[in-house]
Amino acid sequence: MATITDARVIVTSPGRNFVTLKITTSDGVTGLGDATLNGRELAVAGYLRDHVVPLLIGRDPARIEDTWQYLYKGAYWRRGPVTMTAIAAVDTALWDIKGKVAGLPLYELLGGKAREGAMVYGHASGGDVAELLDDIARFRDLGYQAIRAQAAVPGTPGSYGVRHGRGVYEPANASLPDEQMWSTEAYLDFAPGYLAAVRERFGFHFHLLHDVHHRLTPTEAGRLGRRLEDLRLFWMEDPTPAELQESFRQIRQATTTPIAVGEVFNSIWDCQQLITERLIDYIRVSVVHAGGITHVRRIFNLAELYQVRTGSHGATDLSPVSMAAAVHLDVTVPNFGVQEYMEHEPVTHEVFRPTYELRDGALHPSTAPGLGVEMDEEAAAHFPYEPKYLPVSRRADGSVHDW
């Protein structure tokens, strides 16, 4: 029987910070797991090095479910983003190993394909409406079938989701948090107009998405949803902070605009009420932040029972390792909806070498055994960790708001 003989945490910053767990077995098989928690990367790296890695040595890598339960229940202090991201890294690496031992791509171990590829949505944005429309046109020309639209609110530096220049949008960009001014009133006045402009120019022959990013009260979100109904959004994302799951009932009663939420969720219990009471339409948990493939499958299976579809988080704070895991899972689940996808900077691929492919607005998983991602550790060593924080939003009166 093979055993785990080594587990190492690799922190590298090719374009942005990533934390990766590499597990090696006595047979010489290796597996990779993403452990990146944006803005809190070293907390997970320390948790893995100091508290998890010593527990892995000598364990059977094939016993994935047992290892998951051991790390979750055995810690006593359950859930939370640091713990669940660390568990996710172990879980994903073990699935990678299992695929390599079996000589099969991960999707085959998960039951085989239910679709050929996973439709993705791209991130169009602009400093004004004209720039946004040009960016929408760019994504349409690239073949995207689903596009998220965000534009800078005039006079509001804290507008979410707007990249600067033509590069990749990465909000974690300062050695200390960038404090940004936010006006909900200005946003609510402006956003419906630019989303209507997108539909007026491009019509309804593609899926249009919009991210509110937790910034509204349930009452405000209900009002916005009503104003957007004629635009037939694919979804309105994160309309209000989701700690109080019951608050989504008020939004649901106020509007028929579909609702997506969950990128900050870490477990099935964070979204149990939202799913079982069908207060949302799409669940956005990711493999890296919600306990790995093993636990995310449980969430997706629960969601299927209540006709809630998947829409997993897929920003650049997921390394190509967890993006690959997401695509393998996406093509196997019956209730797939859409997959968020942001291309990594070219420098990222000097370290991570994935073999999934983007074609015709969809990601297609690798047919290589396991996840289909290799990591160049020599290249990783050339990109040391750089402290980076996500921004903090403040209202005009100086009080802290949800970013």
Side-chain angles (χ1 to χ4, degrees):
M1 180 189 76
T3 60
I4 296 173
T5 56
D6 187 50
R8 292 187 299 110
V9 179
I10 304 163
V11 181
T12 184
S13 187
R16 67 161 327 281
N17 292 320
F18 296 108
V19 180
T20 307
L21 179 68
K22 183 176 182 179
I23 295 178
T24 303
T25 73
S26 56
D27 291 338
V29 182
T30 61
L32 298 176
D34 186 11
T36 307
L37 184 62
N38 202 356
R40 296 293 186 272
E41 297 90 354
L42 297 186
V44 185
Y47 189 101
L48 283 167
R49 286 195 189 107
D50 299 336
H51 303 292
V52 174
V53 165
L55 306 178
L56 298 177
I57 307 304
R59 293 187 64 86
D60 182 352
R63 297 182 62 176
I64 298 175
E65 180 67 39
D66 182 69
T67 298
W68 197 97
Q69 297 293 339
Y70 179 81
L71 295 176
Y72 180 80
K73 294 179 178 177
Y76 183 70
W77 309 107
R78 301 181 182 184
R79 300 162 62 180
V82 173
T83 295
M84 297 303 281
T85 300
I87 292 175
V90 176
D91 186 79
T92 304
L94 293 182
W95 277 106
D96 191 20
I97 289 170
K98 187 175 284 286
K100 291 174 179 175
V101 170
L104 294 171
L106 181 58
Y107 65 79
E108 294 288 8
L109 302 183
L110 300 177
K113 288 184 179 180
R115 60 192 52 78
E116 291 305 311
M119 181 179 72
V120 300
Y121 71 87
H123 289 203
S125 68
D128 54 30
V129 177
E131 285 186 5
L132 171 63
L133 296 178
D134 287 345
D135 212 25
I136 294 278
R138 179 174 69 90
F139 277 97
R140 293 290 287 144
D141 290 343
L142 290 171
Y144 279 75
Q145 304 165 46
I147 304 169
R148 192 186 81 174
Q150 312 287 139
V153 179
T156 306
S159 300
Y160 173 75
V162 180
R163 69 177 178 273
H164 301 287
R166 305 299 290 182
V168 173
Y169 173 65
E170 174 50 65
N173 59 6
S175 57
L176 289 174
D178 179 21
E179 298 192 13
Q180 301 174 341
M181 191 275 287
W182 171 253
S183 170
T184 297
E185 295 78 13
Y187 164 76
L188 288 173
D189 286 343
F190 184 64
Y194 75 69
L195 293 170
V198 172
R199 282 301 194 205
E200 182 176 351
R201 176 168 168 181
F202 297 99
F204 290 82
H205 302 297
F206 71 101
H207 300 299
L208 178 62
L209 300 80
H210 177 66
D211 189 355
V212 181
H213 215 250
H214 319 279
R215 299 190 178 191
L216 302 180
T217 67
T219 298
E220 292 166 340
R223 290 173 180 165
L224 176 63
R226 282 199 304 272
R227 292 186 65 186
L228 300 178
E229 285 177 357
D230 289 344
L231 303 181
R232 301 208 305 264
L233 290 190
F234 188 88
W235 75 36
M236 175 175 65
E237 180 182 339
D238 292 339
T240 194
E243 287 90 344
L244 181 63
Q245 296 184 43
E246 185 178 306
S247 67
F248 282 73
R249 184 176 296 109
Q250 181 179 349
I251 305 173
R252 176 66 94 200
Q253 292 169 346
T255 179
T256 59
T257 295
I259 301 167
V261 74
E263 70 181 49
V264 299
F265 290 169
N266 312 126
S267 76
I268 199 168
W269 296 279
D270 295 327
C271 51
Q272 180 181 5
Q273 182 181 8
L274 290 169
I275 290 172
T276 59
E277 297 186 21
R278 217 187 174 286
L279 303 179
I280 59 173
D281 300 276
Y282 296 90
I283 181 64
R284 289 193 19 81
V285 293
S286 65
V287 166
V288 65
H289 296 141
I293 294 163
T294 297
H295 195 64
V296 170
R297 285 179 78 194
R298 291 194 181 98
I299 296 172
F300 288 174
N301 289 341
L302 176 67
E304 182 198 356
L305 298 178
Y306 294 90
Q307 299 180 348
V308 173
R309 293 198 286 169
T310 72
S312 292
H313 178 62
T316 49
D317 60 349
L318 278 69
S319 86
V321 173
S322 56
M323 179 56 70
V327 178
H328 281 285
L329 192 53
D330 289 337
V331 298
T332 65
V333 296
N335 55 326
F336 172 75
V338 71
Q339 171 66 54
E340 181 179 18
Y341 177 62
M342 292 178 67
E343 291 188 89
H344 292 96
E345 293 186 46
V347 68
T348 300
H349 293 290
E350 294 181 23
V351 174
F352 299 98
R353 292 165 187 170
T355 49
Y356 50 74
E357 294 183 80
L358 179 67
R359 299 195 306 272
D360 301 321
L363 279 173
H364 298 263
S366 169
T367 58
L371 292 174
V373 181
E374 298 298 327
M375 183 176 187
D376 186 333
E377 293 187 61
E378 289 187 11
H382 295 295
F383 300 99
Y385 171 79
E386 301 178 24
K388 294 288 178 67
Y389 283 86
L390 292 167
V392 172
S393 289
R394 290 189 182 273
R395 302 179 184 89
D397 66 2
S399 58
V400 176
H401 189 49
D402 293 284
W403 180 76

Coordinates of all heavy atoms in Angstrom, one line a residue, residues 79-118:
R79 N -14.8 24.7 10.2 CA -15.2 25.7 9.2 C -14.3 26.9 9.2 O -13.1 26.8 9.7 CB -16.7 26.0 9.4 CG -17.6 24.8 9.3 CD -19.0 25.0 9.9 NE -19.7 26.1 9.2 CZ -20.9 26.4 9.6 NH1 -21.5 25.8 10.6 NH2 -21.6 27.4 9.0
G80 N -14.7 27.9 8.6 CA -13.9 29.1 8.4 C -13.0 29.1 7.2 O -12.6 28.0 6.8
P81 N -12.7 30.2 6.7 CA -11.9 30.2 5.4 C -10.5 29.6 5.5 O -10.1 29.0 4.5 CB -11.9 31.7 5.0 CG -12.1 32.4 6.3 CD -13.0 31.6 7.1
V82 N -9.8 29.8 6.6 CA -8.5 29.3 6.7 C -8.5 27.8 6.7 O -7.8 27.1 6.0 CB -7.7 29.9 7.9 CG1 -6.3 29.2 8.0 CG2 -7.5 31.4 7.7
T83 N -9.3 27.2 7.7 CA -9.4 25.8 7.8 C -9.8 25.1 6.5 O -9.3 24.1 6.1 CB -10.3 25.4 9.0 OG1 -9.7 25.9 10.2 CG2 -10.5 23.9 9.1
M84 N -10.9 25.6 6.0 CA -11.5 25.0 4.8 C -10.7 25.1 3.6 O -10.7 24.2 2.7 CB -12.9 25.5 4.6 CG -13.9 25.2 5.7 SD -14.0 23.5 6.1 CE -15.2 22.9 4.8
T85 N -9.9 26.2 3.4 CA -9.0 26.3 2.3 C -7.8 25.3 2.5 O -7.4 24.7 1.5 CB -8.5 27.7 2.2 OG1 -9.6 28.6 2.0 CG2 -7.5 27.9 1.0
A86 N -7.3 25.1 3.7 CA -6.3 24.1 3.9 C -6.8 22.7 3.6 O -6.1 21.9 3.0 CB -5.8 24.2 5.4
I87 N -8.0 22.4 4.1 CA -8.5 21.1 3.8 C -8.7 20.9 2.3 O -8.5 19.8 1.7 CB -9.9 20.9 4.5 CG1 -9.6 20.8 6.0 CG2 -10.6 19.6 4.1 CD1 -10.9 20.7 6.9
A88 N -9.2 22.0 1.6 CA -9.4 21.9 0.2 C -8.1 21.6 -0.6 O -8.1 20.8 -1.5 CB -9.9 23.2 -0.3
A89 N -7.0 22.1 -0.1 CA -5.7 21.9 -0.8 C -5.3 20.4 -0.7 O -4.9 19.8 -1.6 CB -4.6 22.7 -0.1
V90 N -5.5 19.8 0.5 CA -5.2 18.4 0.7 C -6.1 17.6 -0.2 O -5.7 16.6 -0.9 CB -5.3 18.0 2.2 CG1 -5.1 16.5 2.4 CG2 -4.4 18.8 3.1
D91 N -7.4 17.9 -0.1 CA -8.4 17.1 -0.8 C -8.1 17.1 -2.3 O -8.1 16.1 -3.0 CB -9.8 17.7 -0.6 CG -10.9 16.8 -1.2 OD1 -11.3 15.8 -0.6 OD2 -11.4 17.2 -2.2
T92 N -7.8 18.3 -2.9 CA -7.6 18.4 -4.3 C -6.3 17.6 -4.7 O -6.3 17.0 -5.8 CB -7.5 19.9 -4.7 OG1 -8.7 20.5 -4.3 CG2 -7.3 20.0 -6.2
A93 N -5.3 17.8 -3.9 CA -4.0 17.1 -4.2 C -4.3 15.5 -4.2 O -3.7 14.8 -5.0 CB -3.0 17.4 -3.2
L94 N -5.1 15.0 -3.3 CA -5.3 13.6 -3.2 C -6.1 13.1 -4.4 O -5.9 12.0 -4.9 CB -6.0 13.2 -1.9 CG -5.2 13.4 -0.6 CD1 -6.0 13.0 0.6 CD2 -3.9 12.7 -0.7
W95 N -7.1 13.9 -4.9 CA -7.8 13.6 -6.1 C -6.9 13.6 -7.3 O -7.0 12.7 -8.2 CB -9.0 14.5 -6.3 CG -10.2 14.2 -5.5 CD1 -10.7 14.9 -4.4 CD2 -11.2 13.2 -5.8 NE1 -11.9 14.3 -4.0 CE2 -12.2 13.2 -4.8 CE3 -11.2 12.2 -6.8 CZ2 -13.2 12.3 -4.8 CZ3 -12.3 11.3 -6.8 CH2 -13.3 11.4 -5.8
D96 N -6.0 14.5 -7.3 CA -5.0 14.6 -8.4 C -4.2 13.3 -8.4 O -3.9 12.6 -9.5 CB -4.1 15.8 -8.2 CG -3.2 16.1 -9.4 OD1 -3.5 15.6 -10.6 OD2 -2.2 16.8 -9.3
I97 N -3.7 12.8 -7.3 CA -3.0 11.6 -7.1 C -3.8 10.4 -7.6 O -3.4 9.5 -8.3 CB -2.5 11.4 -5.7 CG1 -1.4 12.4 -5.4 CG2 -2.0 10.0 -5.5 CD1 -1.0 12.5 -3.9
K98 N -5.1 10.4 -7.1 CA -5.9 9.2 -7.5 C -6.1 9.1 -9.0 O -6.1 8.0 -9.6 CB -7.3 9.4 -6.8 CG -8.2 8.1 -7.0 CD -9.5 8.3 -6.2 CE -9.2 8.0 -4.7 NZ -9.0 6.6 -4.4
G99 N -6.3 10.3 -9.6 CA -6.4 10.2 -11.1 C -5.1 9.7 -11.8 O -5.2 8.9 -12.7
K100 N -4.0 10.1 -11.3 CA -2.7 9.7 -11.9 C -2.5 8.2 -11.7 O -2.0 7.5 -12.5 CB -1.6 10.5 -11.3 CG -1.6 12.0 -11.7 CD -0.5 12.8 -11.0 CE -0.5 14.2 -11.5 NZ 0.5 15.1 -10.7
V101 N -2.8 7.7 -10.5 CA -2.7 6.3 -10.2 C -3.6 5.5 -11.1 O -3.2 4.4 -11.6 CB -3.0 6.0 -8.7 CG1 -3.1 4.5 -8.5 CG2 -1.9 6.6 -7.8
A102 N -4.8 6.0 -11.3 CA -5.8 5.3 -12.2 C -5.5 5.5 -13.6 O -6.0 4.7 -14.5 CB -7.2 5.8 -11.8
G103 N -4.7 6.5 -14.0 CA -4.4 6.8 -15.4 C -5.6 7.4 -16.1 O -5.7 7.3 -17.3
L104 N -6.4 8.1 -15.3 CA -7.6 8.8 -15.8 C -7.7 10.2 -15.5 O -7.3 10.6 -14.4 CB -8.9 8.1 -15.3 CG -9.1 6.6 -15.7 CD1 -10.2 6.0 -14.8 CD2 -9.4 6.5 -17.2
P105 N -8.3 11.1 -16.3 CA -8.6 12.4 -16.0 C -9.6 12.5 -14.8 O -10.4 11.6 -14.7 CB -9.1 13.1 -17.2 CG -9.6 11.9 -18.0 CD -8.8 10.7 -17.7
L106 N -9.6 13.5 -14.0 CA -10.4 13.6 -12.8 C -11.9 13.4 -13.2 O -12.6 12.8 -12.4 CB -10.2 14.9 -12.1 CG -11.0 15.1 -10.8 CD1 -10.7 14.0 -9.8 CD2 -10.6 16.5 -10.2
Y107 N -12.3 14.0 -14.3 CA -13.8 13.9 -14.6 C -14.2 12.5 -14.8 O -15.4 12.2 -14.5 CB -14.1 14.8 -15.8 CG -13.5 14.4 -17.1 CD1 -14.1 13.3 -17.9 CD2 -12.4 15.0 -17.7 CE1 -13.6 12.9 -19.1 CE2 -11.9 14.7 -18.9 CZ -12.5 13.6 -19.6 OH -11.9 13.2 -20.8
E108 N -13.4 11.6 -15.2 CA -13.8 10.2 -15.3 C -14.0 9.6 -13.9 O -15.0 8.8 -13.7 CB -12.7 9.4 -16.1 CG -12.6 9.8 -17.5 CD -13.7 9.4 -18.4 OE1 -14.8 8.9 -17.9 OE2 -13.6 9.5 -19.6
L109 N -13.2 10.0 -12.9 CA -13.4 9.5 -11.6 C -14.7 10.0 -10.9 O -15.2 9.4 -10.0 CB -12.2 9.8 -10.7 CG -10.9 9.3 -11.2 CD1 -9.8 9.7 -10.1 CD2 -10.9 7.8 -11.4
L110 N -15.2 11.2 -11.4 CA -16.4 11.8 -10.9 C -17.6 11.4 -11.6 O -18.7 12.0 -11.4 CB -16.2 13.3 -11.0 CG -15.0 13.9 -10.2 CD1 -14.9 15.4 -10.4 CD2 -15.1 13.6 -8.7
G111 N -17.5 10.4 -12.5 CA -18.7 9.9 -13.1 C -18.8 10.1 -14.6 O -19.7 9.7 -15.3
G112 N -17.8 10.8 -15.1 CA -17.7 11.0 -16.6 C -18.5 12.3 -16.9 O -19.2 12.9 -16.1
K113 N -18.3 12.7 -18.2 CA -18.8 14.0 -18.6 C -20.4 13.9 -18.7 O -20.9 13.0 -19.3 CB -18.3 14.3 -20.0 CG -16.8 14.7 -20.0 CD -16.4 15.1 -21.4 CE -14.9 15.6 -21.4 NZ -14.6 16.0 -22.8
A114 N -21.0 15.0 -18.3 CA -22.4 15.3 -18.5 C -22.5 16.3 -19.6 O -23.7 16.6 -20.1 CB -23.1 15.7 -17.3
R115 N -21.5 16.9 -20.0 CA -21.4 17.9 -21.1 C -20.0 18.0 -21.7 O -19.1 17.5 -21.0 CB -21.9 19.3 -20.6 CG -21.0 19.9 -19.5 CD -21.6 21.1 -18.9 NE -23.0 20.8 -18.4 CZ -23.3 20.1 -17.3 NH1 -22.3 19.7 -16.5 NH2 -24.5 19.9 -17.0
E116 N -19.9 18.5 -22.9 CA -18.5 18.5 -23.5 C -17.6 19.6 -22.9 O -16.4 19.4 -22.8 CB -18.7 18.8 -25.0 CG -19.3 17.6 -25.7 CD -18.6 16.3 -25.5 OE1 -17.3 16.3 -25.6 OE2 -19.2 15.3 -25.1
G117 N -18.2 20.7 -22.5 CA -17.4 21.8 -21.9 C -18.2 22.6 -21.0 O -19.4 22.4 -20.8
A118 N -17.5 23.5 -20.2 CA -18.2 24.3 -19.2 C -18.2 25.8 -19.7 O -17.2 26.4 -19.9 CB -17.4 24.3 -17.9

